[in-house]
């Protein structure tokens, strides 16, 4: 099976998701959060840097639980046009 290439919007959504995870992780190490979610640190690194912009649902759910985020919050933050990335890498509401 051939995977269809991601659209620019899908890549951008993955970058927003990765930035949100980095922000939510705060001072916690990547290894600590990955272990709490049952992932490898390399998998988390790929997601946070946008190299894995479409992680599986259960991966997203495990990360949300490990970081104390709701899936609704993740979906709203990563939805197109909802937030814009600021200079410091933090997200603020568009508008």
């Amino acid at each position: 099976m051939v995977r269809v290439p991601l659209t620019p919007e899908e890549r951008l959504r993955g970058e927003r998701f990765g930035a949100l995870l980095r922000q939510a992780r705060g001072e916690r190490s990547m290894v600590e959060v990955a272990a709490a979610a049952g992932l490898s640190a390399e998998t988390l690194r790929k997601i946070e840097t946008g190299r894995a912009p479409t992680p599986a649902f259960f991966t997203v759910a495990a990360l949300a639980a490990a970081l104390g985020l709701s899936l609704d919050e993740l979906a709203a933050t990563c939805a197109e046009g909802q937030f814009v990335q600021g200079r410091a890498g933090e997200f603020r509401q568009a508008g």
Side-chain angles (χ1 to χ4, degrees):
M1 180 162 79
V2 176
R3 183 174 178 169
V4 177
L6 297 176
T7 65
E9 292 81 19
E10 290 169 324
R11 290 192 178 282
L12 183 58
R13 186 178 56 224
E15 290 172 10
R16 285 192 297 261
F17 179 59
L20 174 64
L21 292 179
R22 282 191 306 277
Q23 186 177 4
R25 185 165 53 86
E27 298 297 317
R28 294 173 66 184
S29 75
M30 192 176 286
V31 172
E32 178 184 349
V33 172
L39 309 171
S40 70
E42 183 58 25
T43 297
L44 180 54
R45 183 180 341 277
K46 287 179 181 178
I47 294 168
E48 284 190 359
T49 60
R51 289 187 0 242
T54 58
F57 171 77
F58 291 105
T59 299
V60 173
L63 285 167
L67 294 168
L69 299 171
S70 74
L71 291 175
D72 289 337
E73 180 181 10
L74 286 175
T77 302
C78 295
E80 284 186 86
Q82 293 293 312
F83 286 75
V84 294
Q85 190 170 2
R87 288 178 293 220
E90 295 181 355
F91 287 90
R92 60 180 171 77
Q93 195 143 11

